[in-house]
Amino acid sequence: MPYSFYEDDHTAFRHSVRGLVQRSVLPHQEEWEEARLVDRSFWKAAAGVGALGLRIPERFGGAGSDDYRFRCVIQEELAEVGAASLASGIAINEDIVASYLVRFGTEEQQRRWLPGMAAGDVVTSIAMTEPGGGSDLRGIRTLARRDGSDWVLDGAKTFITNGAGSDLVIVAARTGETAGRARLSLFLVPSTAAGFQRGRKLKKLGLHAQDTAELFFDGLRLPADALLGEEGTGFRQLTAQLPLERLSIAWRAVVAAEAAVRWTLEYTRERTAFGQRLVDFQNTRFRLAELTTEVEVTRSHLERCILDLNDGTLDAITGAKAKWWATELQNRVVGACLQLHGGYGYMDEYRISRAYADARVQTLVGGTTEIMKDIIGRDLAGPKPDRGA
C-alpha cells in the first residue's frame, strides 16, 4: 500500500481551511501588511471552521486532538498564498501557548483561558527574549518577587510575536537563583493588568502583518495562581516543549519552500525570453530539479518527525536538526526562486518577493542555526571526561 501522510479526515479539514483562506485571508493581506497587524475578525472566522484550539480539550471548546497533521494542513494552505505572518502568529497561539496551558496549567487556569482561545476571543503571546539578551535565557533579568501571596513583576521583553494585540502573555521571569544560576518561572499575565505596558510595534524586514512588539512590566502585581506550573521549573517547562516548537518552525519552512517552487514553476512556464519559455532553458530545468528534490527529501524527513511527535517519541535533538536544516533550506530555495523570477522577483506584486523577506527570520527564531548546531554537537560529543580520575 503506498505511503500517505494524510488521511480522509485531514482532506476534509483541508477543504474547510482552504475556504477560510479564500474568504478571510486573501482579501485582507495587503491591508494587514500595511497595518502591521492581523484583524481580530480573522481569529473568529478561523474558530468558526475549527482551525483554532486543535489541541485544546473538548470540554473547553477545542478539538482535543494531538494529531499535528491538522496543524500541518493549516500551515500548507497559508503558505500557498504567502501568508507567513499569519502562520507565525497562529503558531504562537496554537503550538506554544495552548500547549503550555494544556500541559502545565491548572484546571482553573485552563477554564479561564482555553475556551476564549478556542473561540478566537483570546489571542496570546509568549515573552522570553529581552533587550540585549537574544538566545541567552539564563541571562533573563525580568524579575518576579513575592509580596505576601502575590507576585510582583518588573522587566522588559522584546521581539514578542502577537505582542501588540495579545490578551494573554506567558512571561518567563527570574524567581531566584540556585548554585549561582537563575531559576526561571513562567507566569500568565493578562494584558489588562495594571503595570502592563506595550512599547513600540516593531518595524521588521519581513513578516509585516505579524504584530511584533516590546512589552514592559512595571510593578505588575499578579495573584499566586498566575504561576504556570511550579516555581523554578521554567527551564524544564521550556525544554519539554522544544520538540514541538522547533518542528512547528521547520514545517512552516518546508511548506513555504514548496510553495515558492510551485510559484516559480508556474512563472517559468509562462514567461518567455529569447523566443522560448524560461523553463525550456536547461539551467532553469536543472535548478528546478535541484530545488524540488531538496524540498521533497526534507519534507519526507519532517513527515517522519511529525508522526514521531504524534507518538510522543520526538526528542529535542531531532527537533533541533529539523529546525536548522529546514529553515536554512527555506532561505536557499526562496532565494533561488527569486533569481529565476529575474527582476520581477524583486517586485512586491509577486509573492516570491514577500516570501524572500519573510523567510529570513526563520533561521533566527526559536533558536538560531548556530544554537541548534551547538545543541546537536554537544549531544554528539557526550559528557566530558573526568580529568581528575
Side-chain angles (χ1 to χ4, degrees):
M1 182 177 180
Y3 167 76
S4 177
F5 180 59
Y6 291 119
E7 299 173 8
D8 290 345
D9 286 349
H10 304 108
T11 301
F13 183 64
R14 185 182 300 278
H15 291 314
S16 297
V17 174
R18 187 167 293 173
L20 169 72
V21 170
Q22 294 297 317
R23 294 187 307 272
S24 302
V25 177
L26 270 177
H28 304 292
Q29 281 182 279
E30 293 303 323
E31 162 194 338
W32 294 343
E33 288 275 313
E34 292 178 8
R36 296 180 181 266
L37 183 73
V38 172
D39 191 82
R40 292 297 287 261
S41 62
F42 167 79
W43 297 90
K44 293 295 293 182
V49 300
L52 296 182
L54 292 171
R55 301 176 69 84
I56 294 174
E58 291 183 33
R59 71 181 186 279
F60 297 124
S65 173
D66 289 328
D67 186 351
Y68 194 73
R69 288 176 293 180
F70 288 104
R71 284 282 298 122
C72 291
V73 168
I74 297 172
Q75 308 258 35
E76 287 175 358
E77 293 302 314
L78 292 175
E80 185 58 36
V81 299
S85 295
L86 182 55
S88 176
I90 293 176
I92 294 293
N93 215 61
E94 295 290 296
D95 298 339
I96 298 182
V97 176
S99 294
Y100 275 70
L101 277 165
V102 168
R103 186 163 185 175
F104 305 116
T106 64
E107 180 73 18
E108 292 74 18
Q109 289 169 335
Q110 292 174 350
R111 190 182 306 116
R112 179 178 181 185
W113 296 111
L114 291 179
M117 292 176 66
D121 295 322
V122 173
V123 176
T124 63
S125 57
I126 186 165
M128 293 185 287
T129 305
E130 297 187 350
S135 299
D136 182 15
L137 293 181
R138 295 194 180 277
I140 281 178
R141 292 189 288 181
T142 296
L143 179 66
R145 57 180 175 82
R146 287 188 180 276
D147 184 13
S149 62
D150 292 346
W151 290 94
V152 178
L153 196 64
D154 289 284
K157 301 289 183 178
T158 193
F159 305 151
I160 308 306
T161 301
N162 295 346
S166 56
D167 306 290
L168 171 70
V169 185
I170 293 180
V171 177
R174 295 171 69 106
T175 51
E177 292 187 359
T178 300
R181 306 184 75 177
R183 297 176 71 235
L184 289 189
S185 300
L186 303 183
F187 293 89
L188 298 172
V189 180
S191 61
T192 54
F196 181 97
Q197 301 173 11
R198 303 187 203 270
R200 296 175 299 156
K201 191 190 298 182
L202 300 172
K203 294 183 178 181
K204 311 184 298 295
L205 170 67
L207 298 179
H208 292 160
Q210 175 207 87
D211 62 301
T212 307
E214 300 169 320
L215 300 179
F216 301 97
F217 318 108
D218 183 12
L220 191 154
R221 185 172 293 271
L222 295 168
D225 61 7
L227 180 68
L228 181 62
E230 298 178 8
E231 180 184 350
T233 61
F235 279 117
R236 192 155 66 243
Q237 292 169 299
L238 295 170
T239 301
Q241 293 300 105
L242 287 178
L244 170 58
E245 293 172 23
R246 288 172 179 161
L247 190 55
S248 170
I249 297 169
W251 188 260
R252 290 204 306 276
V254 76
V255 297
E258 284 180 329
V261 172
R262 282 194 295 271
W263 303 336
T264 305
L265 181 57
E266 180 181 340
Y267 176 81
T268 57
R269 283 172 174 168
E270 295 176 352
R271 178 76 174 166
T272 60
F274 303 102
Q276 61 181 329
R277 300 180 305 168
L278 292 183
V279 76
D280 293 325
F281 288 94
Q282 186 184 66
N283 177 72
T284 303
R285 294 199 304 274
F286 278 17
R287 198 70 184 100
L288 287 169
E290 293 165 357
L291 299 176
T292 299
T293 303
E294 287 188 83
V295 168
E296 288 183 2
V297 169
T298 300
R299 181 190 177 100
S300 179
H301 175 65
L302 293 187
E303 287 182 355
R304 181 69 260 169
C305 289
I306 285 161
L307 295 178
D308 288 345
L309 176 72
N310 284 352
D311 292 340
T313 59
L314 183 71
D315 61 90
I317 301 300
T318 303
K321 292 174 182 177
K323 193 272 176 186
W324 89 257
W325 175 261
T327 56
E328 292 286 348
L329 171 85
Q330 178 187 7
N331 275 271
R332 290 199 309 274
V333 169
V334 174
C337 288
L338 188 148
Q339 184 73 18
L340 289 172
H341 277 73
Y344 287 103
Y346 203 66
M347 301 296 107
D348 280 347
E349 63 190 274
Y350 285 84
R351 288 173 179 165
I352 196 67
S353 170
R354 182 176 298 163
Y356 182 81
D358 290 345
R360 188 60 191 86
V361 76
Q362 288 277 77
T363 62
L364 306 175
V365 296
T368 65
T369 293
E370 293 74 19
I371 293 290
M372 297 300 101
K373 290 180 179 179
D374 188 55
I375 290 168
I376 298 162
R378 283 190 278 113
D379 180 70
L380 293 172
K384 294 182 179 179
D386 185 356
R387 299 299 183 185

